[in-house]
Amino acid sequence: MRSFAFLAILAALTGTAVSAQAADTYKFNLHNKSSDYVINGFRTYENGAWSKNWIDFKLKPGESAEMDWGSDEGNCVVPFKVDWVGYESEKFSVDWRKVKNIYMKDQGFSFD
């Protein structure tokens, strides 16, 4: 009986640790603060190549989307680029440990 109680406590603690660890991924919100540009792509640059497109939708002016790296491992400063409908991609770089929101503007971006 004692070993069953120990296993139950161990399972509960392990589940809590896993949940807390999963919550520590690099999550952020992408905000389109432009006047009329539509975002249709978001890519990151790692291991010498651009990633596949993170989004399969269009982010219109005034809209926001929740984004998640799904990890907190690897280099924290990773370049990213945003694709705009009808316009060339723009490339930027941030420290992902410090980003909660990215605000894409008519010219450039900001973050907090």
Side-chain angles (χ1 to χ4, degrees):
M1 185 66 147
R2 239 182 215 190
S3 62
F4 177 78
F6 174 76
L7 290 175
I9 291 170
L10 182 61
L13 291 174
T14 304
T16 302
V18 169
S19 297
Q21 186 177 12
D24 290 335
T25 64
Y26 298 142
K27 293 181 182 179
F28 64 98
N29 293 301
L30 178 64
H31 303 274
N32 185 346
K33 294 292 187 183
S34 70
S35 56
D36 2 92
Y37 304 113
V38 177
I39 297 172
N40 67 341
F42 184 92
R43 302 171 195 278
T44 54
Y45 192 80
E46 294 184 277
N47 303 319
W50 288 102
S51 70
K52 65 178 183 143
N53 191 357
W54 284 38
I55 59 176
D56 61 354
F57 53 86
K58 292 181 167 65
L59 197 62
K60 298 175 184 168
E63 294 182 336
S64 300
E66 186 176 294
M67 311 285 274
D68 187 348
W69 278 81
S71 173
D72 65 349
E73 297 178 6
N75 192 350
C76 298
V77 179
V78 175
F80 71 95
K81 69 179 179 179
V82 174
D83 301 328
W84 304 90
V85 173
Y87 297 94
E88 203 169 306
S89 299
E90 293 188 58
K91 299 173 191 168
F92 306 99
S93 189
V94 293
D95 182 336
W96 293 100
R97 293 173 299 182
K98 300 176 182 177
V99 172
K100 295 294 179 210
N101 295 286
I102 292 180
Y103 306 96
M104 299 309 304
K105 302 176 180 181
D106 286 333
Q107 294 184 352
F109 80 107
S110 63
F111 67 93
D112 58 24

